[in-house]
Amino acid sequence: MLTPENLYDKARETADHLLDLTDEIPVYGIVLGSGLGSLAEDIEIDVEIPYKNIPNFPVSTVEGHKGSLIFGTLGGKYVMAMNGRFHYYEGYSMYEVTFPERVMKLMGINKLIVSNASGGVNPHFRIGDVMIITDHINFFPEHPLRGKNDPRFGPRFVNMSEPYSLKMIETAENYAKSKGISYRKGVYLGLQGPTFETLAEYKMVRTIGADAVGMSTVPEVIVAKHMDMEVFGISVITDLGDEEFIKNVNHEEVIKAAKTAEPVVRDLVKNLVRLY
Ligand code: HPA
């Protein structure tokens, strides 16, 4: 079991194990969200390791659970991509959900890209829109930094003034504009799921200042900021939390909509890695 007391040693052990299997220290860590796994096809793969073969990685209790770490070259840089993430709603502890980011940092990675699917609550948004995440609201019932702080990772009280790197956002925006790629920008609110929101909850999400809502990302970004990593977040709006669309919200629709936006996300991520 991962605890605040053993987290550093466990992450160190896993990081050393992975560094032994790879040729280079990756520059970027990339988390591929729901329906965005084909981004892995853009990576010239050096090594692919199933999660079940990685020491200390969370073990799935769900039959048929897949997921792997991919090491290889993307946009001319060596990267480590997570094909599949650990969600809090699956029953993992917050230390498990964010363990891969701990390992990334101890491997020497300082830049993180996170992607996800989310429900749009901004009335201007449409299904299939791609949103660059500018900020987040943490609505998870448990904080990933709760418990004894290990100063080898970072400080007890973490500054969250720039959770998403302004320079990375600018680089991605400049690239998108130069190619005529349309995108949105907005605030992502993370909550635990696994239910989608009620209409009243979607309205609440909008009222408190978010543009999109999802069940991941926020814990990972908090932990990355604890370790002073630079983070870029991108979200595909896969459904809309309003009277008209709420009846259609289900997992199949989410995956289908994420797939339609996949080429745009792939292009943006690849070129951000190349340029920044
Ligand atoms: N709500 C929460 N999580 C989601 C949604 C949503 O509408 N769409 C995709 N992930």
Side-chain angles (χ1 to χ4, degrees):
M1 196 177 74
L2 294 173
T3 66
E5 285 74 20
N6 68 20
L7 198 50
Y8 190 92
D9 288 344
K10 297 260 187 198
R12 181 75 269 161
E13 188 186 7
T14 306
D16 289 344
H17 175 84
L18 293 173
L19 286 170
D20 278 346
L21 299 176
T22 55
D23 295 341
E24 283 178 61
I25 295 174
V27 179
Y28 269 93
I30 304 173
V31 181
L32 309 177
S34 304
L36 300 170
S38 84
L39 212 141
E41 288 164 23
D42 293 336
I43 300 173
E44 213 178 291
I45 298 179
D46 171 26
V47 196
E48 181 163 4
I49 311 163
Y51 291 156
K52 62 177 167 44
N53 295 347
I54 303 175
N56 305 323
F57 247 52
V59 182
S60 173
T61 50
V62 185
E63 193 100 20
H65 175 89
K66 56 177 174 39
S68 61
L69 271 191
I70 295 167
F71 291 90
T73 308
L74 178 73
K77 300 211 172 101
Y78 201 66
V79 302
M80 166 175 140
M82 289 181 64
N83 200 357
R85 59 152 55 86
F86 303 104
H87 295 92
Y88 187 70
Y89 63 72
E90 293 176 85
Y92 298 110
S93 74
M94 275 297 184
Y95 307 121
E96 290 175 319
V97 167
T98 58
F99 187 69
E101 284 70 29
R102 297 294 191 196
V103 172
M104 285 176 193
K105 179 70 183 190
L106 294 191
M107 289 177 74
I109 298 174
N110 286 306
K111 293 176 186 165
L112 174 68
I113 296 177
V114 283
S115 61
N116 62 47
S118 64
V121 293
N122 181 320
H124 301 295
F125 285 8
R126 294 291 165 263
I127 290 170
D129 280 356
V130 170
M131 182 184 92
I132 294 175
I133 304 175
T134 55
D135 206 344
H136 73 220
I137 298 173
N138 180 17
F139 249 49
F140 279 85
E142 188 191 341
H143 200 284
L145 302 182
R146 179 169 178 267
K148 191 171 186 291
N149 183 57
D150 191 328
R152 288 172 292 182
F153 283 128
R156 167 79 294 182
F157 301 105
V158 180
N159 183 293
M160 291 297 284
S161 58
E162 193 183 323
Y164 301 88
S165 159
L166 294 177
K167 283 196 201 142
M168 287 166 106
I169 292 171
E170 190 189 358
T171 306
E173 283 196 85
N174 286 342
Y175 174 77
K177 282 177 191 152
S178 76
K179 296 283 173 187
I181 298 166
S182 60
Y183 62 93
R184 308 282 191 172
K185 282 163 78 177
V187 174
Y188 175 91
L189 183 143
L191 36 65
Q192 67 171 319
T195 41
F196 291 110
E197 291 62 43
T198 64
L199 191 54
E201 286 164 346
Y202 280 123
K203 281 183 183 159
M204 172 198 71
V205 168
R206 178 70 191 144
T207 304
I208 61 180
D211 299 286
V213 53
M215 307 174 195
S216 68
T217 303
V218 169
E220 292 139 88
V221 172
I222 289 172
V223 164
K225 293 316 292 179
H226 183 224
M227 303 178 296
D228 202 24
M229 293 171 81
E230 272 187 289
V231 180
F232 179 78
I234 192 158
S235 188
V236 177
I237 307 299
T238 56
D239 50 86
L240 299 173
D242 66 17
E243 283 90 346
E244 191 187 339
F245 289 97
I246 189 168
K247 286 209 170 51
N248 299 329
V249 182
N250 63 49
H251 187 61
E252 289 65 40
E253 289 300 313
V254 164
I255 298 298
K256 210 167 82 189
K259 287 248 167 286
T260 64
E262 218 170 20
V264 175
V265 176
R266 276 168 74 161
D267 191 25
L268 279 180
V269 168
K270 183 169 67 183
N271 284 286
L272 174 62
V273 168
R274 179 174 66 81
L275 293 164
Y276 188 81

